[in-house]
């Protein structure tokens, strides 16, 4: 089953705390997961200030700078993984380096009905 592990962290803390992960550590973890056949995709995201939000209401698109909502933690990146079950996905998420300074939301992927 596919799971999306969303990495949330306060952007100011993500790389400034003593326990903050370095990019090389995140890359090494992703590389190991890819070698094991678990990692489908993963990326770090640019700062939330670079976000653009698009809304469509009554057929009209509105584009605004910035994220959808103000929050204490921002979406910093993601790992799309293949796991046997939720327990294996959680075990994977526990070892994602930014979990030390933020949080990891684990969500099953829903296949679209076609």
């Amino acid at each position: 089953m596919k799971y999306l592990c969303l990495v949330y962290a306060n952007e100011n803390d993500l790389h400034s705390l003593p326990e903050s992960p370095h990019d090389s550590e995140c890359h090494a973890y992703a590389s190991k997961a890819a070698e094991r056949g678990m990692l489908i995709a993963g990326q770090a995201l640019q700062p939330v200030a670079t976000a653009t939000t698009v809304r469509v209401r009554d057929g009209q698109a509105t584009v605004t700078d910035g994220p959808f909502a103000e929050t204490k933690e921002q979406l910093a990146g993601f790992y799309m993984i293949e796991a046997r079950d939720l327990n294996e996905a959680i075990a994977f998420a526990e070892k994602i380096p930014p979990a030390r300074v933020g949080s990891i939301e684990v969500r099953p992927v829903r296949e679209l009905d076609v």
Side-chain angles (χ1 to χ4, degrees):
M1 181 166 203
K2 290 181 182 135
Y3 289 88
L4 185 61
C5 299
L6 298 166
V7 178
Y8 289 96
N10 180 310
E11 286 182 349
N12 297 324
D13 295 342
L14 184 57
H15 296 291
S16 64
L17 298 174
E19 61 273 16
S20 294
H22 294 280
D23 286 351
S24 59
E25 182 183 6
C26 295
H27 185 268
Y29 185 65
S31 293
K32 279 186 186 177
E35 288 171 12
R36 291 189 349 231
M38 273 187 95
L39 185 69
I40 296 168
Q43 290 292 149
L45 299 176
Q46 293 289 332
V48 72
T50 65
T52 301
T53 299
V54 178
R55 292 180 182 85
V56 178
R57 300 295 183 271
D58 298 320
Q60 293 292 100
T62 303
V63 179
T64 54
D65 291 337
F68 175 71
E70 292 285 324
T71 60
K72 288 183 181 181
E73 294 184 327
Q74 296 79 37
L75 182 60
F78 70 92
Y79 294 79
M80 173 75 74
I81 63 168
E82 182 72 39
R84 285 187 308 274
D85 54 27
L86 180 59
N87 289 332
E88 185 176 42
I90 290 170
F92 178 88
E94 289 173 350
K95 295 180 182 82
I96 294 174
R100 296 192 306 262
V101 295
S103 61
I104 311 299
E105 179 181 341
V106 179
R107 294 180 65 176
V109 172
R110 179 178 67 87
E111 299 295 333
L112 295 177
D113 294 330
V114 285

